[in-house]
Amino acid sequence: MGMDQEKTYKAYLNGQWVKTDREIEIVNPATEQVFAKVFAIDGHQIQMALDAAEASFPSWRARTAKERGILLHRVADELKRRRDEIAHTITLENGKPQAQSKGEVDMSEDHLRWFAEEAHRSYGRTIPPQAHGKRHLVVKTPIGTVGAIAPWNFPLVLSVRKVAPALAAGCPVILKPASQTPLCAIALAECMETAGVPGGVFQLAIGNAAMIGDAFLTNPICRKISFTGSTKVGQELIRGAAHQVKPLSLELGGQAPLLIFEDCDLDRAVQETLIAKFRNTGQSCIAANRIYVQKTIHDEFLHKFVAAVKQLKTGNGVDDGMDVGPMINQHALDGALLQIEDAVKHGGKVMAGGKRMGTRGYFLEPTVIDGVGDDSLCMLEETFAPVAPVTSFDTEEEAIERANRSPYGLSAYAMTRDIGRMFRLAEQIEAGTLGINDGAPTTSQSPFGGVKQSGWGRELGTEGLDAFLETKHVSIGGV
């Protein structure tokens, strides 16, 4: 799709590309320029989308898992064919460096292929009876129409992470992308259409989040909501879901600790910390948010880490060789600058970066702050910025206790070569994902999700398919 200034993209409802009377402007965070518009749907159209999804459900669930899987593979083929162009689109609307956008398209393709295959494996079971003449079966059935709500930070892959398993399970999906980044979702809808996914089975609802979320919550056609975003919005969905006791999958805020132990491979620890912290400009729910370094190696780690951070290239994501792009908007940039100021007020020392870059685009210098107090904002709140606060610890027990002190528990990281410690951390760290010597642990075949205030349920892995299936016990008597 050519991203020319005049282009206004349509919504995709029931197999039709729809114009409406309201438009949303899409801003490139690297230039602060509006470069495209999308039509936003209204309340009447979201109701029509739900009706279309319900009408498509019987025939979609009746298809074999193999048939649904073939279509998902075709969608993946389309994504792959259009990889560079869709990656370019993600960079324009989100700001991330182009190489990272290509990685996002690749991971989206991988998710589609994983669930295309996993659809074959939504196994039930037979259970030995306790009474004569009875037989017991467990069967898995699709839950029904799904409302999927995706965020702006990984706009394609976090859409596919919901859409692919729901479709694989036999459920129609209405995807609501973030208003800042709907263009890659439009590309996904084009891939769905080209692949031959029926119109009512996948639809794209772009528009007011509260209005669309409310329709998902209040309309009984929508049987499940899958949401990635802030804990605050997650709490609102929980309250809203109470009326119809509607099932939710929630992937909410994170505040990941990263523990660096004295026995680690220091150079590897620096590289993996760079990935865990600065990927996607630090705007990741699994980004390393709090870096704890064992005192014995603190100075050596800090020296190497600061040197590496100063080498990172920051700029417009469409330019070659960039490591860090702009933040998503002015509000995000202001919040990060406030956290830096607060950390310094609490005794932190800026070792790299710390300031806005230039006057156009929402760029922040990749920042390292040492000696940050545990009561600083950046140690208590999700940072969502290229800001790395560093502090030190003495013992493993202390590190675990401080790591677990947060109300969040999405992911955590540890750099160590001690195998006993790996097991202790695996058992004691309160998080849904633990990366040991691994700054990018997420993968299609392994479950992803949070504990505590980081969410409910799991995406990816076998659990990701199970989230869209009901478990039914069938008892047969008189055998």
Side-chain angles (χ1 to χ4, degrees):
M1 53 175 139
M3 289 296 164
D4 50 277
Q5 184 72 36
E6 313 314 312
K7 178 103 192 216
T8 304
Y9 295 88
K10 298 172 183 173
Y12 183 65
L13 301 173
N14 200 13
Q16 306 295 313
W17 292 96
V18 182
K19 269 187 173 177
T20 68
D21 51 13
R22 204 168 80 76
E23 294 178 351
I24 296 172
E25 294 185 331
I26 311 304
V27 175
N28 180 335
T31 63
E32 302 183 39
Q33 300 295 305
V34 173
F35 70 97
K37 295 176 183 172
V38 293
F39 287 113
I41 65 167
D42 59 25
H44 175 63
Q45 285 162 321
I46 189 69
Q47 298 301 329
M48 283 169 60
L50 285 157
D51 290 337
E54 185 175 44
S56 75
F57 182 38
S59 60
W60 183 244
R61 72 181 298 176
R63 292 198 188 204
T64 65
K66 186 177 180 181
E67 289 167 333
R68 294 195 296 265
I70 287 167
L71 283 178
L72 289 180
H73 273 304
R74 278 195 209 145
V75 178
D77 292 341
E78 276 301 297
L79 271 189
K80 185 177 185 176
R81 185 177 69 78
R82 296 178 55 184
R83 172 187 188 239
D84 291 357
E85 161 234 336
I86 293 173
H88 185 67
T89 298
I90 293 171
T91 293
L92 291 179
E93 61 185 344
N94 162 286
K96 72 179 68 179
Q98 203 121 275
Q100 295 181 31
S101 294
K102 287 176 182 173
E104 178 164 348
V105 179
D106 293 344
M107 197 176 198
S108 303
E109 181 200 337
D110 196 65
H111 285 357
L112 282 157
R113 297 201 193 281
W114 166 259
F115 285 113
E117 298 298 324
E118 197 59 15
H120 302 234
R121 289 179 271 282
S122 55
Y123 301 130
R125 62 189 195 273
T126 59
I127 300 169
Q130 290 190 345
H132 292 290
K134 284 197 177 189
R135 298 294 182 273
H136 300 281
L137 308 179
V138 174
V139 293
K140 301 273 188 171
T141 55
I143 194 166
T145 296
V146 171
I149 305 173
W152 55 261
N153 61 330
F154 287 89
L156 183 65
V157 80
L158 295 182
S159 297
V160 171
R161 203 169 280 187
K162 299 165 179 2
V163 171
L167 294 181
C171 302
V173 186
I174 301 169
L175 171 64
K176 190 250 169 255
S179 293
Q180 296 102 313
T181 55
L183 301 177
C184 59
I186 290 167
L188 177 65
E190 291 169 351
C191 293
M192 292 276 175
E193 184 182 41
T194 305
V197 175
V201 169
F202 175 83
Q203 300 175 88
L204 191 61
I206 297 166
N208 180 279
M211 180 270 291
I212 293 169
D214 193 56
F216 288 163
L217 286 167
T218 57
N219 192 316
I221 290 172
C222 179
R223 298 291 290 273
K224 166 111 193 196
I225 297 172
S226 180
F227 168 79
T228 298
S230 71
T231 295
K232 184 169 168 288
V233 175
Q235 289 163 336
E236 287 169 25
L237 288 171
I238 292 168
R239 280 190 282 274
H243 298 291
Q244 291 179 15
V245 195
K246 193 160 293 191
L248 302 173
S249 287
L250 303 172
E251 197 257 273
L252 308 176
Q255 224 239 333
L258 190 153
L259 312 179
I260 299 172
F261 292 94
E262 61 191 2
D263 64 283
C264 73
D265 173 336
L266 205 56
D267 292 328
R268 167 116 199 201
V270 168
Q271 282 312 307
E272 298 299 331
T273 304
L274 279 181
I275 293 166
K277 175 67 258 183
F278 293 106
R279 188 172 66 124
N280 206 42
T281 312
Q283 300 178 119
S284 165
C285 27
I286 64 166
N289 209 93
R290 306 170 280 147
I291 300 170
Y292 300 95
V293 187
Q294 201 150 17
K295 277 206 178 96
T296 46
I297 57 162
H298 169 272
D299 293 356
E300 195 186 350
F301 171 81
L302 190 70
H303 175 74
K304 289 187 171 200
F305 184 58
V306 168
V309 170
K310 286 179 173 172
Q311 294 298 305
L312 293 174
K313 288 192 169 62
T314 303
N316 191 327
V318 298
D319 296 337
D320 283 342
M322 291 300 149
D323 300 302
V324 177
M327 298 185 63
I328 190 71
N329 55 30
Q330 188 67 47
H331 177 72
L333 179 60
D334 291 344
L337 290 166
L338 182 75
Q339 279 200 3
I340 294 167
E341 196 184 312
D342 173 80
V344 171
K345 212 182 285 176
H346 283 85
K349 186 172 177 221
V350 176
M351 308 299 289
K355 295 187 291 296
R356 180 178 184 169
M357 282 179 67
T359 52
R360 165 162 293 198
Y362 310 113
F363 293 98
L364 178 67
E365 295 172 344
T367 300
V368 181
I369 313 171
D370 185 36
V372 179
D374 283 0
D375 51 356
S376 304
L377 281 178
C378 59
M379 297 301 247
L380 301 169
E381 296 174 356
E382 188 166 31
T383 296
F384 243 65
V387 177
V390 178
T391 185
S392 60
F393 68 89
D394 282 310
T395 65
E396 181 186 310
E397 292 72 23
E398 178 201 342
I400 291 170
E401 192 274 320
R402 285 167 73 188
N404 287 341
R405 216 181 268 170
S406 169
Y408 300 100
L410 188 59
S411 66
Y413 303 89
M415 305 296 155
T416 179
R417 286 183 290 191
D418 178 330
I419 199 150
R421 178 177 282 139
M422 289 179 196
F423 280 103
R424 293 191 295 274
L425 294 169
E427 289 158 11
Q428 293 174 41
I429 291 285
E430 295 169 355
T433 296
L434 175 60
I436 297 177
N437 307 320
D438 183 3
T442 311
T443 177
S444 299
Q445 71 276 23
S446 306
F448 178 87
V451 302
K452 298 190 280 191
Q453 289 186 31
S454 287
W456 288 352
R458 293 293 179 269
E459 297 184 307
L460 304 180
T462 52
E463 292 86 349
L465 185 69
D466 215 44
F468 299 100
L469 294 166
E470 295 285 20
T471 301
K472 187 182 296 179
H473 167 221
V474 182
S475 180
I476 303 164
V479 175

